[in-house]
Amino acid sequence: MPENQSLLEQLQQMLHWKKSKKYYADKLGITEVEIDGLLADIRKEENAQEDAEIGNYIADLEDRVVKFTEDLIKGTGEVVANFSEEVKSLDELIEKCHIDTEKWEITKYVQNFWGNGNNPHWQVKAWLGKKSTEQVFQDSFVDFLASYQPVSQEVMSPKFSEHKFPAMLVINKQDSHLNKYDIDGNNNIADRLASIMYKVELIANQAQLSNNLEQITYIIGSDEFNSEFTGTTTKGTPQTNTHTYQDSFSFICDHEVLMITMLLQYAENVNVIYVAGNHDEYVGWHLVTWLQTYFRNTNRLTFDVSPKYRKYVSYGGSALMFNHGDALKPAKLAALFPIEFREAWSFHDNFYIFTGDKHHEVSQDFNGIKFYQIPAFSSAKSLWDDKNGHVMSKAEVTAFLIEQGSGMTNIFKQYL
C-alpha cells in the first residue's frame, strides 16, 4: 500500500508535464494498465477534482467525457469530451459521449486539435437541446411506420369515354374537425363520417358525368383532427373532443382508407396532399404518413407528405396553391404565388389559391389569381363558437373541376 501511495504521489507531480501514458509508465517502471488504475484513483481524490486543468488532462489520457451539464429550466445541455483520435461523424460522437438520442438532439458541435502526430489530442464540445414531447412522439411514429406492413386492396381503374374532356377534381377538405365535441349533442361519429363520405362520392359521380377524371387532388390535414394528441391545438389552446386521441386516430384512419379507396374508383390517379392546420399540424402529419405507408403498393396513388405550409399543383394550363389560411392573408398568398412558383409560372394561364380555416366562404380576384376560401366540412359547435356568434355558416363539401385546357369549369357543393 505505501508503495502504491508513493506511485500516486509521483504520478500526480508528473501530470503537470502533460506527457503520454507510455512516458509515465516508463518513468515509474510499471505498465500502462497500472497507469490507468492510478489515474482512476487520482480522479477520486478531492484535490485532483478541484484542479480543472489536471482533471481535463487525466480525462484526455483516459479518452472520456470530462463535462456534462444540463439546464433544467431552459432544457439545454452541454458535453465536453477529450479523445486521442478524431471524431469523424455525428453517430460516432453520440456513441462515444453516450448521448441519449431519445431525450436530446445535438444542435451544434465543434472539435479542436492540439499536439502532434505522435501525441494527438482532440476535444469535442457539443450543445444539446431537449426534444419536445411532440418530437419524441413523431420519432417513435416514424420508427413504427418503417416496419408497418400495408394491406390495402387493389382497386380497378375507371373506364373513360372518348367523348368527354379530361379534367382534375379538387377536393379541398378543410376544417372537418371530425372528433370535435358539439354542444348541441350531434356527436355520433359514424354519422359524421358517413355523411362526408356520401357527399364526396355524390360530387365524384357528378364530375364523372361530364368529364374523364384523369386526377383527383385530395387535400387532408387542415384541422381534420380537432386537436393534437395533447388535447390542445398546436399552439396549446385546450379543446373538447368526443373521443380519446387513440380512438380518434383509429376511426379517422379507417375513414380515410375508405375515402381514398372510393376515390380511386372515379379517377385514373389520386394525389393526396397534406396541408398543415393550426389544430392538428403534428397529428395530421401522422395521419398522412400512415396512409402513405398503408397504400405503398397502390400504383395509381401519390402522396405529398411534406410539412411545408404552401403546396403547389400543376394540371394542364392551371397552377394551384393550397394553404390552410390561418396565418397569411389572401393578398399575401397571392403575392407569394408567382415568386415561389416562378420556375413554372409562365407555362400556365390559370391561377387558383384554395384555403379554409375561417369556416365561411370568400372568393376574390387578385389581378387574375382567383382566391377561394371554402366553408368548413363540419357543423359541430363549441362553446367558444357559440359565445362569439360563429354559428351561422353552413357546413358543406366543396369541390372544383379543373379541365385540362380551360381551367376551372365547375364548382360542386353539397351541404352537410
Side-chain angles (χ1 to χ4, degrees):
M1 187 71 179
E3 178 184 356
N4 187 51
Q5 187 65 38
S6 176
L7 289 173
L8 277 174
E9 292 173 356
Q10 293 179 61
L11 182 57
Q12 280 179 319
Q13 294 173 3
M14 288 191 289
L15 285 176
H16 291 281
W17 301 347
K18 295 189 176 180
K19 300 293 184 179
S20 67
K21 284 193 288 188
K22 184 178 185 306
Y23 176 88
Y24 298 136
D26 291 342
K27 280 290 186 181
L28 296 176
I30 59 178
T31 66
E32 290 186 41
V33 174
E34 290 174 303
I35 289 291
D36 287 333
L38 292 173
L39 290 172
D41 290 338
I42 292 172
R43 267 204 169 278
K44 295 176 184 177
E45 294 191 3
E46 185 178 355
N47 60 344
Q49 292 292 336
E50 292 176 351
D51 191 332
E53 182 180 1
I54 293 299
N56 284 350
Y57 179 56
I58 293 172
D60 180 54
L61 291 171
E62 294 179 316
D63 224 27
R64 61 183 291 178
V65 175
V66 298
K67 178 183 176 185
F68 178 86
T69 58
E70 178 179 356
D71 189 321
L72 296 174
I73 296 176
K74 294 182 179 179
T76 59
E78 185 178 300
V79 176
V80 179
N82 293 330
F83 302 110
S84 57
E85 295 181 353
E86 179 183 5
V87 175
K88 297 181 178 179
S89 69
L90 188 61
D91 289 338
E92 186 180 352
L93 172 63
I94 291 169
E95 181 182 355
K96 285 191 170 184
C97 292
H98 308 292
I99 296 171
D100 183 358
T101 55
E102 292 187 0
K103 178 180 180 182
W104 300 103
E105 55 184 348
I106 297 174
T107 57
K108 181 178 72 171
Y109 76 94
V110 296
Q111 187 167 202
N112 297 312
F113 171 81
W114 73 92
N116 54 51
N118 296 323
N119 190 26
H121 301 278
W122 298 88
Q123 185 176 79
V124 180
K125 184 175 182 180
W127 289 266
L128 311 176
K130 186 172 288 186
K131 288 185 174 181
S132 63
T133 304
E134 292 83 357
Q135 186 62 49
V136 172
F137 188 93
Q138 195 130 313
D139 289 347
S140 63
F141 189 79
V142 171
D143 291 340
F144 158 74
L145 291 181
S147 58
Y148 181 76
Q149 296 297 318
V151 291
S152 58
Q153 66 186 74
E154 185 176 351
V155 181
M156 297 294 292
S157 301
K159 294 182 178 180
F160 287 161
S161 168
E162 60 181 16
H163 304 296
K164 298 178 183 178
F165 289 111
M168 174 177 71
L169 182 65
V170 175
I171 303 171
N172 185 25
K173 193 175 188 179
Q174 293 282 340
D175 304 291
S176 47
H177 295 275
L178 294 175
N179 59 332
K180 179 178 179 178
Y181 181 80
D182 178 51
I183 60 172
D184 291 336
N186 299 315
N187 293 305
N188 188 310
I189 299 303
D191 288 348
R192 285 187 192 177
L193 303 181
S195 177
I196 293 174
M197 176 77 72
Y198 172 70
K199 299 296 185 178
V200 170
E201 186 164 18
L202 191 59
I203 287 174
N205 269 300
Q206 290 174 331
Q208 193 184 52
L209 289 174
S210 60
N211 293 86
N212 292 325
L213 297 181
E214 290 186 320
Q215 180 173 315
I216 292 177
T217 294
Y218 181 45
I219 306 301
I220 63 174
S222 293
D223 296 352
E224 184 157 353
F225 290 82
N226 190 49
S227 75
E228 299 286 5
F229 58 90
T230 55
T232 70
T233 65
T234 304
K235 286 188 175 180
T237 304
Q239 300 295 303
T240 303
N241 300 322
T242 58
H243 292 70
T244 65
Y245 165 73
Q246 291 84 355
D247 288 343
S248 298
F249 190 83
S250 179
F251 69 66
I252 291 174
C253 284
D254 289 344
H255 165 71
E256 291 300 357
V257 166
L258 292 174
M259 181 72 78
I260 292 170
T261 302
M262 180 269 290
L263 294 176
L264 284 166
Q265 299 174 42
Y266 289 91
E268 182 62 32
N269 296 286
V270 175
N271 184 20
V272 180
I273 299 177
Y274 165 67
V275 175
N278 59 306
H279 278 242
D280 64 348
E281 181 173 342
Y282 292 108
V283 69
W285 184 85
H286 298 156
L287 168 67
V288 74
T289 50
W290 181 86
L291 290 169
Q292 182 184 41
T293 303
Y294 181 90
F295 284 105
R296 68 172 66 165
N297 294 331
T298 304
N299 295 325
R300 298 189 294 115
L301 184 61
T302 57
F303 285 86
D304 179 347
V305 301
S306 162
K308 290 184 176 180
Y309 296 102
R310 293 174 298 283
K311 301 294 180 70
Y312 296 95
V313 170
S314 172
Y315 179 77
S318 299
L320 295 76
M321 172 201 272
F322 297 95
N323 175 256
H324 184 51
D326 57 307
L328 299 179
K329 293 183 178 180
K332 178 68 172 180
L333 291 171
L336 286 172
F337 196 170
I339 303 301
E340 294 188 333
F341 200 65
R342 58 186 174 275
E343 292 184 2
W345 185 263
S346 61
F347 299 110
H348 299 82
D349 299 312
N350 311 298
F351 305 95
Y352 307 101
I353 299 173
F354 301 98
T355 70
D357 182 63
K358 304 302 186 289
H359 293 207
H360 63 271
E361 185 174 285
V362 173
S363 60
Q364 292 177 266
D365 188 323
F366 295 97
N367 298 313
I369 300 175
K370 301 293 183 66
F371 171 86
Y372 296 93
Q373 174 187 290
I374 69 169
F377 273 49
S378 170
S379 58
K381 295 194 299 288
S382 67
L383 286 172
W384 184 89
D385 295 326
D386 189 54
K387 180 179 180 180
N388 291 278
H390 301 314
V391 296
M392 301 307 296
S393 296
K394 291 184 177 180
E396 61 184 74
V397 174
T398 307
F400 304 85
L401 189 70
I402 312 293
E403 285 196 356
Q404 195 173 78
S406 307
M408 187 182 298
T409 58
N410 209 338
I411 300 176
F412 300 98
K413 289 179 174 292
Q414 291 290 331
Y415 290 113
L416 290 166

